[in-house]
Amino acid sequence: FLFVGFLEFWREVAADKHYMKGGKIGEFPAFDASFIPGGALNLYDPFGRNKNMSEEAKAAGLVKELNNGRLAMLGIFGFLSESKIEGSVPALKGIIPAYAGEYMAPMAKSLFPAL
């Protein structure tokens, strides 16, 4: 929790432009050795492999990353489906135990009941 809070603070303080005022969404300022003793690795490209890539290669990498995320979501839905309806995913039949609970139960009640 504290680490994520620090990252949010760093983005707000060190970014050139806030994303709500014309900055690029998802852009994160690099860590500088003047602020962190010994320096720190850049979160996006820690070893500097992408700074010399062409724009076409970066765009192709973005498409690959998006497709990877979509495939991961489909995989999760496969596991959820098999746990609710046995045999719905033949490759997982007998591997995933049945689940009688409600997956969205944490979202069933408001976090703020008094409002």
Side-chain angles (χ1 to χ4, degrees), residues 61-77:
L62 177 62
V63 170
K64 290 176 188 175
E65 184 66 28
L66 289 172
N67 288 336
N68 185 29
R70 291 172 180 152
L71 185 61
M73 287 187 279
L74 285 175
I76 291 292
F77 280 116

Side-chain angles (χ1 to χ4, degrees), residues 1-109:
F1 179 73
L2 291 176
F3 180 68
V4 173
F6 167 74
L7 291 177
E8 288 291 331
F9 171 76
W10 179 257
R11 184 181 53 139
E12 294 292 329
V13 170
D16 292 333
K17 285 177 115 179
H18 193 272
Y19 65 90
M20 294 292 287
K21 295 181 180 176
K24 187 176 178 184
I25 295 174
E27 186 174 357
F28 196 85
F31 290 107
D32 192 359
S34 64
F35 294 107
I36 298 174
L41 296 175
N42 186 354
L43 293 178
Y44 168 69
D45 189 16
F47 303 111
R49 295 182 348 179
N50 296 337
K51 64 182 173 185
N52 296 328
M53 287 176 66
S54 67
E55 289 300 318
E56 293 82 19
K58 287 180 184 179
L62 177 62
V63 170
K64 290 176 188 175
E65 184 66 28
L66 289 172
N67 288 336
N68 185 29
R70 291 172 180 152
L71 185 61
M73 287 187 279
L74 285 175
I76 291 292
F77 280 116
F79 280 96
L80 295 175
S81 298
E82 178 61 30
S83 69
K84 280 295 199 183
I85 304 167
E86 187 177 345
S88 62
V89 182
L92 296 175
K93 187 174 182 179
I95 297 173
I96 306 298
Y99 178 66
E102 179 61 41
Y103 289 119
M104 297 304 291
M107 308 299 171
K109 292 185 178 181

